[in-house]
Amino acid sequence: MPDHKHNTRIALWRGNIYGFLTEAFIRLPNEEFIQRITSPQMQTFLEQLQKLDHAKVRKGIGMARDFLNELGSENNHRIMEELAVDRTRLIRSAGKGKLRAPYEGLYKKKEDTHTIILSVKKFYKRMGIMPISYANDSPDFFCTELDFMKQLCLMEAEAQNGLSDIKTIEREFLNQHLGSWIGDYCSAAGETAKTGFYKGLLLILEGFVELEQSYDN
């Protein structure tokens, strides 16, 4: 018989990781952001994340933790500026240089952007989900797609019936959308990032999505 409690714990843990990645990229670095990433809770979360069996995830965690461990003796204002500039470079100013901004439509060569956005929106509508950044950004923005996966994981954890249907949607969305392009963005953005924090996050993101897709193969 299926171990429902175990499956619920796994779904919640996966949802927490998607949520962590969404928040880490979508939030502007400020005092609250610094306090959050340097908190004991964050250290505990990264220690748990370290247990995932993926080289990129482990390497990314090491880079992020090395950066965070150096913050104790640094000026928070300077660190906030450094992180803010790096985040803008990777996400909002990416299209101005060689790095393409993190929108699926900019990374799929065989499909036009309009078709991709329509397909993504169909997934959201099908599940009745409005992802966190959907109202302020394009449906194919990477944080929007990450938050959609987070909400699917939470739905999976709460599901009594139709669990296989939710898992099918997760697999389809990863293979057709998020997992089909995010690795290309992370690899390119990793070469552009200047801080160990965002370099590490990009590796964690890339490795975690690869790990997610491997579970379904």
Side-chain angles (χ1 to χ4, degrees):
M1 294 180 63
D3 187 339
H4 294 298
K5 289 185 178 180
H6 174 74
N7 291 338
T8 296
R9 287 195 298 270
I10 294 297
L12 287 173
W13 173 233
R14 292 172 53 235
N16 285 340
I17 298 174
Y18 278 115
F20 159 72
L21 290 167
T22 304
E23 290 289 318
F25 282 107
I26 205 170
R27 297 303 175 195
L28 292 172
N30 54 22
E31 286 283 358
E32 181 184 358
F33 184 84
I34 296 295
Q35 291 175 4
R36 184 177 300 180
I37 65 175
T38 56
S39 67
Q41 291 83 358
M42 177 60 71
Q43 292 295 334
T44 300
F45 179 81
L46 291 177
E47 288 174 4
Q48 294 174 338
L49 200 58
Q50 187 82 39
K51 298 176 183 178
L52 291 178
D53 187 20
H54 198 287
K56 289 178 183 175
V57 174
R58 290 196 297 270
K59 182 178 179 181
I61 292 170
M63 295 177 74
R65 291 179 74 177
D66 286 347
F67 180 86
L68 295 177
N69 289 337
E70 295 175 0
L71 294 186
S73 59
E74 294 286 348
N75 180 283
N76 278 0
H77 183 70
R78 188 188 69 79
I79 293 298
M80 280 191 297
E81 286 189 349
E82 185 178 342
L83 288 173
V85 169
D86 207 22
R87 178 186 177 277
T88 299
R89 179 188 299 113
L90 297 172
I91 298 176
R92 297 305 179 189
S93 297
K96 297 180 181 179
K98 293 182 179 180
L99 177 64
R100 287 166 287 169
Y103 295 86
E104 183 179 346
L106 297 179
Y107 283 82
K108 293 285 193 68
K109 297 180 179 179
K110 295 183 179 180
E111 299 177 70
D112 65 86
T113 299
H114 181 68
T115 301
I116 291 169
I117 290 176
L118 283 178
S119 177
V120 171
K121 289 173 70 174
K122 284 181 181 178
F123 272 96
Y124 300 163
K125 184 176 180 180
R126 181 177 175 184
M127 301 307 294
I129 290 175
M130 177 73 79
I132 190 170
S133 67
Y134 193 178
N136 299 317
D137 221 311
S138 173
D140 65 332
F141 183 52
F142 79 138
C143 286
T144 309
E145 294 192 359
L146 284 169
D147 188 64
F148 180 65
M149 284 300 303
K150 169 196 168 182
Q151 294 193 52
L152 286 178
C153 290
L154 296 182
M155 290 177 68
E156 179 186 336
E158 295 175 359
Q160 299 298 319
N161 299 303
L163 177 61
S164 61
D165 293 338
I166 296 174
K167 293 184 74 66
T168 296
I169 295 296
E170 291 175 9
R171 181 169 58 251
E172 290 178 355
F173 190 76
L174 277 171
N175 291 336
Q176 295 177 28
H177 292 291
L178 182 62
S180 69
W181 70 277
I182 199 65
D184 291 337
Y185 166 72
C186 288
S187 296
E191 297 179 1
T192 303
K194 302 299 182 185
T195 63
F197 180 73
Y198 283 113
K199 281 181 177 290
L201 281 182
L202 289 163
L203 278 171
I204 294 170
L205 171 56
E206 183 178 5
F208 177 63
V209 173
E210 287 180 1
L211 199 57
E212 283 276 275
Q213 289 185 285
S214 74
Y215 292 147
D216 295 316
N217 294 329

